[in-house]
Structure formats: structure tokens, C-alpha cells
Amino acid sequence: MNQIIVGIAGEEKAQACIWSGGKYSNGWKSARFSLDAPKMPGVYYIRVRYAQDYSCENALDWWKIDRPYGPTLESNIGFIHIQGD
């Protein structure tokens, strides 16, 4: 089973699983998801990667599988900008 997981760069695990299915995705689809934003001011990159597990819940732990720092900048799909006071 393949999943698509999303999270914030530098975190220990992904926060959302936005697709879970078989070998193929059956084309482009849209997905709604939410992330818990960091509290400290700064720019945080939202990244995506695939996982291979039997459930979305377990797939979230794939964030750093074979990548000790998680997905790299090539996996960026957006960013969160937290402004200070």
C-alpha cells in the first residue's frame, strides 16, 4: 500500500496522510488536510513524501525512513510564516 504524507520540515514525523491506496494513484486528486503550526516565529516549510505501509496512521512514522533529517527541500509544497509580536 502506498500513502502520501505531509508535514513540516525538521519535525520527527508527518502530521497528515492525504492519500492511501494501492500501487497507483488513479490520477490527480485534491485533498484537504491541516497541520499544527509551530509557535515560534519563523518560516517553516511544508513537505511531502510517499510511504509504504498498511495504514495512514503507521505511514506518518515514515517521515524520516531512509532520510535522517526528513524530506529535503525538493519536497517543498508550501510554507508557513509565523510572525513575532
Side-chain angles (χ1 to χ4, degrees), residues 6-8 11 14-16 33-38 45-47 77 80:
V6 179
I8 298 173
E11 292 190 339
Q15 291 191 34
F33 64 94
S34 63
L35 301 174
D36 291 329
Y45 291 97
I46 301 167
R47 296 186 174 165
I77 60 170
I80 299 168

Side-chain angles (χ1 to χ4, degrees), residues 39-56:
K39 292 180 176 34
M40 296 296 294
V43 175
Y44 300 89
Y45 291 97
I46 301 167
R47 296 186 174 165
V48 63
R49 75 169 292 182
Y50 79 94
Q52 293 179 317
D53 210 308
Y54 289 105
S55 74
C56 267

Side-chain angles (χ1 to χ4, degrees), residues 8-72:
I8 298 173
E11 292 190 339
E12 289 301 309
K13 64 189 275 184
Q15 291 191 34
C17 179
I18 61 170
W19 186 81
S20 182
K23 291 192 228 180
Y24 304 104
S25 68
N26 297 324
W28 290 100
K29 303 196 189 260
S30 62
R32 289 186 178 267
F33 64 94
S34 63
L35 301 174
D36 291 329
K39 292 180 176 34
M40 296 296 294
V43 175
Y44 300 89
Y45 291 97
I46 301 167
R47 296 186 174 165
V48 63
R49 75 169 292 182
Y50 79 94
Q52 293 179 317
D53 210 308
Y54 289 105
S55 74
C56 267
E57 185 178 333
N58 291 340
L60 299 177
D61 292 325
W62 275 64
W63 197 238
K64 290 188 170 184
I65 296 280
D66 76 0
R67 297 176 186 170
Y69 301 105
T72 59

